Amino acid sequence: MAGPVGLDQGTGCYRSAASPPLRPWQVRERRFRTTRFGRRGLDPDDVQEFLDRVADDLAAVHDALGNSVREAVRFRDALRQWQSEQARRANPVGGRY
Protein backbone atom coordinates (compact mmCIF):
# COMPACT_ATOMS: atom_id res chain seq x y z
CA MET A 1 0.00 0.00 0.00
CA ALA A 2 2.79 2.44 0.72
CA GLY A 3 4.11 4.32 -2.24
CA PRO A 4 6.22 7.33 -3.04
CA VAL A 5 5.26 10.37 -1.04
CA GLY A 6 4.93 13.80 -2.58
CA LEU A 7 3.24 17.17 -2.25
CA ASP A 8 -0.33 17.14 -3.52
CA GLN A 9 -0.71 20.37 -5.49
CA GLY A 10 -4.46 20.50 -4.85
CA THR A 11 -4.27 20.34 -1.07
CA GLY A 12 -0.68 21.21 -0.28
CA CYS A 13 -0.47 18.04 1.83
CA TYR A 14 2.02 15.24 1.54
CA ARG A 15 0.48 11.91 0.62
CA SER A 16 1.22 8.61 -1.00
CA ALA A 17 1.30 8.63 -4.78
CA ALA A 18 0.09 5.00 -4.77
CA SER A 19 -3.57 6.00 -4.48
CA PRO A 20 -5.57 9.19 -4.99
CA PRO A 21 -7.41 10.79 -2.04
CA LEU A 22 -10.27 8.73 -0.74
CA ARG A 23 -13.69 10.19 -1.55
CA PRO A 24 -16.82 9.81 0.61
CA TRP A 25 -18.63 7.82 -2.08
CA GLN A 26 -15.77 5.33 -2.12
CA VAL A 27 -16.19 4.71 1.59
CA ARG A 28 -19.96 4.34 1.27
CA GLU A 29 -19.79 1.97 -1.69
CA ARG A 30 -16.80 -0.13 -0.56
CA ARG A 31 -17.53 -3.84 -0.31
CA PHE A 32 -15.10 -6.37 1.12
CA ARG A 33 -14.42 -9.89 -0.11
CA THR A 34 -15.60 -12.76 1.99
CA THR A 35 -13.02 -14.98 3.60
CA ARG A 36 -11.66 -18.04 1.84
CA PHE A 37 -12.27 -21.69 2.61
CA GLY A 38 -15.97 -21.27 3.35
CA ARG A 39 -15.51 -19.24 6.53
CA ARG A 40 -18.06 -16.57 7.24
CA GLY A 41 -17.15 -12.92 7.46
CA LEU A 42 -14.83 -10.53 5.69
CA ASP A 43 -11.23 -10.96 4.68
CA PRO A 44 -9.32 -9.35 7.58
CA ASP A 45 -6.42 -8.29 5.34
CA ASP A 46 -8.82 -6.56 2.93
CA VAL A 47 -10.54 -4.73 5.78
CA GLN A 48 -7.25 -3.70 7.39
CA GLU A 49 -5.87 -2.37 4.10
CA PHE A 50 -8.97 -0.22 3.62
CA LEU A 51 -8.94 1.02 7.22
CA ASP A 52 -5.27 1.98 6.86
CA ARG A 53 -6.12 4.02 3.79
CA VAL A 54 -9.05 5.74 5.54
CA ALA A 55 -6.80 6.52 8.51
CA ASP A 56 -4.10 7.98 6.24
CA ASP A 57 -6.60 10.24 4.49
CA LEU A 58 -8.11 11.36 7.79
CA ALA A 59 -4.65 12.15 9.12
CA ALA A 60 -3.99 14.29 6.03
CA VAL A 61 -7.29 16.14 6.55
CA HIS A 62 -6.48 16.78 10.20
CA ASP A 63 -3.00 18.02 9.31
CA ALA A 64 -4.41 20.37 6.67
CA LEU A 65 -7.02 21.65 9.11
CA GLY A 66 -4.37 22.29 11.74
CA ASN A 67 -2.26 24.19 9.21
CA SER A 68 -5.28 26.26 8.19
CA VAL A 69 -6.10 27.13 11.78
CA ARG A 70 -2.50 28.17 12.49
CA GLU A 71 -2.45 30.30 9.33
CA ALA A 72 -5.75 31.97 10.26
CA VAL A 73 -4.37 32.83 13.72
CA ARG A 74 -1.23 34.25 12.13
CA PHE A 75 -3.30 36.41 9.75
CA ARG A 76 -5.57 37.57 12.59
CA ASP A 77 -2.60 38.56 14.74
CA ALA A 78 -0.92 40.39 11.85
CA LEU A 79 -4.15 42.27 11.10
CA ARG A 80 -4.55 43.29 14.75
CA GLN A 81 -0.97 44.52 14.86
CA TRP A 82 -1.46 46.50 11.64
CA GLN A 83 -4.73 48.00 12.95
CA SER A 84 -3.00 49.04 16.19
CA GLU A 85 -0.18 50.70 14.25
CA GLN A 86 -2.67 52.55 12.05
CA ALA A 87 -4.63 53.72 15.11
CA ARG A 88 -1.43 55.04 16.74
CA ARG A 89 -0.54 56.95 13.58
CA ALA A 90 -4.02 58.41 13.26
CA ASN A 91 -4.13 59.44 16.95
CA PRO A 92 -0.59 60.47 17.90
CA VAL A 93 0.12 61.01 21.62
CA GLY A 94 1.60 64.40 22.44
CA GLY A 95 1.43 65.52 18.80
CA ARG A 96 4.22 63.19 17.69
CA TYR A 97 4.11 60.23 15.34
Side-chain angles (χ1 to χ4, degrees), residues 41-92:
L42 303 174
D43 182 348
D45 294 335
D46 194 30
V47 173
Q48 190 59 53
E49 180 182 331
F50 185 74
L51 291 176
D52 288 343
R53 186 168 173 208
V54 170
D56 290 345
D57 283 350
L58 286 175
V61 167
H62 285 280
D63 289 346
L65 178 60
N67 291 338
S68 295
V69 168
R70 285 187 291 278
E71 187 174 11
V73 168
R74 188 173 55 84
F75 286 146
R76 183 195 65 212
D77 293 346
L79 177 60
R80 285 182 179 165
Q81 181 179 355
W82 180 83
Q83 288 172 326
S84 295
E85 291 170 2
Q86 296 306 310
R88 281 193 295 275
R89 288 182 182 149
N91 301 310

Side-chain angles (χ1 to χ4, degrees), residues 3-44:
V5 176
L7 183 63
D8 182 311
Q9 296 302 318
T11 64
C13 298
Y14 282 91
R15 62 171 294 110
S16 170
S19 60
L22 197 57
R23 302 290 182 222
W25 67 267
Q26 291 173 302
V27 174
R28 289 184 191 101
E29 293 180 4
R30 182 68 163 100
R31 301 295 175 258
F32 297 100
R33 296 183 302 266
T34 56
T35 57
R36 298 173 218 35
F37 310 116
R39 294 184 320 198
R40 295 179 58 168
L42 303 174
D43 182 348

